Amino acid sequence: VSCAVYKKAGESFNLQIAAKAWVIDNDSNYCDNPSTPNYVQSGIALSSQLVAPSPGAQGVVGIASYDQVAATNNLNTVAQDISEVGVFTFSAAPPASYLGSSFYSIPLAKSTNIGRFVPDRFGVNASSVMPACSNSFSYMDQNFAVAFNLKALNIAGVVTENYRGSFAKASGLLV
């Protein structure tokens, strides 16, 4: 994976959401549609979809819903986060009805790829040192074996499952 680091898994980032007007049927690019700064809607569900690595753990968004408010610049900003490592898209799904009517269903809005989210830190567990001589000691400056398990953790200290393969870019040096 060659994309640059964006944020740490679990770190807050600004997810900007803009309301756009309907123009024509089967429109797949809403970004170039006119803005609707007066659009107000409560209970818009937010979710994420893992893009890479594939397969991988989906992760959990920190904010699962928000209320769209009228804004002169047409932008609502949500302080969002994702619990996993990887590259994701984020979606906003309005409720089935708008202003008491379900005549027209407002389609799901989806971001471009966002990420690469990386671990916040690493934790070591199950470590052991194997003495070089008779399983009981080592001399100064004598090489000896060390074994440990390394865990990639998000900001909350939870193990991330996607830090593997091409996403595992850390290197270590024992001194």
Side-chain angles (χ1 to χ4, degrees):
V1 174
S2 62
C3 52
V5 171
Y6 177 61
K7 295 285 184 178
K8 296 175 182 178
E11 183 179 358
S12 181
F13 65 95
N14 287 335
L15 182 63
Q16 292 188 319
I17 302 167
K20 295 292 185 167
W22 173 86
V23 176
I24 59 172
D25 287 341
N26 301 319
D27 187 359
S28 61
N29 180 10
Y30 300 110
C31 293
D32 61 355
N33 290 6
S35 296
T36 56
N38 292 327
Y39 174 68
V40 175
Q41 178 82 49
S42 296
I44 297 175
L46 299 175
S47 61
S48 65
Q49 181 66 37
L50 179 68
V51 175
S54 181
Q58 288 296 322
V60 177
V61 292
I63 305 296
S65 70
Y66 85 105
D67 297 335
Q68 177 80 16
V69 297
T72 55
N73 67 356
N74 196 44
L75 289 178
N76 278 222
T77 301
V78 176
Q80 186 61 282
D81 65 83
I82 185 75
S83 65
E84 258 303 336
V85 166
V87 177
F88 298 85
T89 59
F90 293 85
S91 300
S97 69
Y98 177 63
L99 298 177
S101 173
S102 56
F103 174 74
Y104 179 73
S105 176
I106 300 173
L108 177 79
K110 188 174 176 182
S111 74
T112 58
N113 293 350
I114 298 176
R116 175 171 59 109
F117 293 87
V118 297
D120 175 52
R121 62 189 181 277
F122 297 93
V124 175
N125 69 340
S127 62
S128 63
V129 175
M130 281 68 83
C133 299
S134 305
N135 292 329
S136 60
F137 67 94
S138 297
Y139 289 103
M140 292 288 264
D141 291 331
Q142 185 178 21
N143 291 334
F144 56 89
V146 176
F148 57 88
N149 292 328
L150 190 63
K151 303 180 295 184
L153 306 173
N154 66 19
I155 285 186
V158 176
V159 175
T160 61
E161 297 177 40
N162 294 340
Y163 193 73
R164 55 180 165 71
S166 63
F167 276 81
K169 296 186 179 286
S171 60
L173 178 63
L174 296 174
V175 290

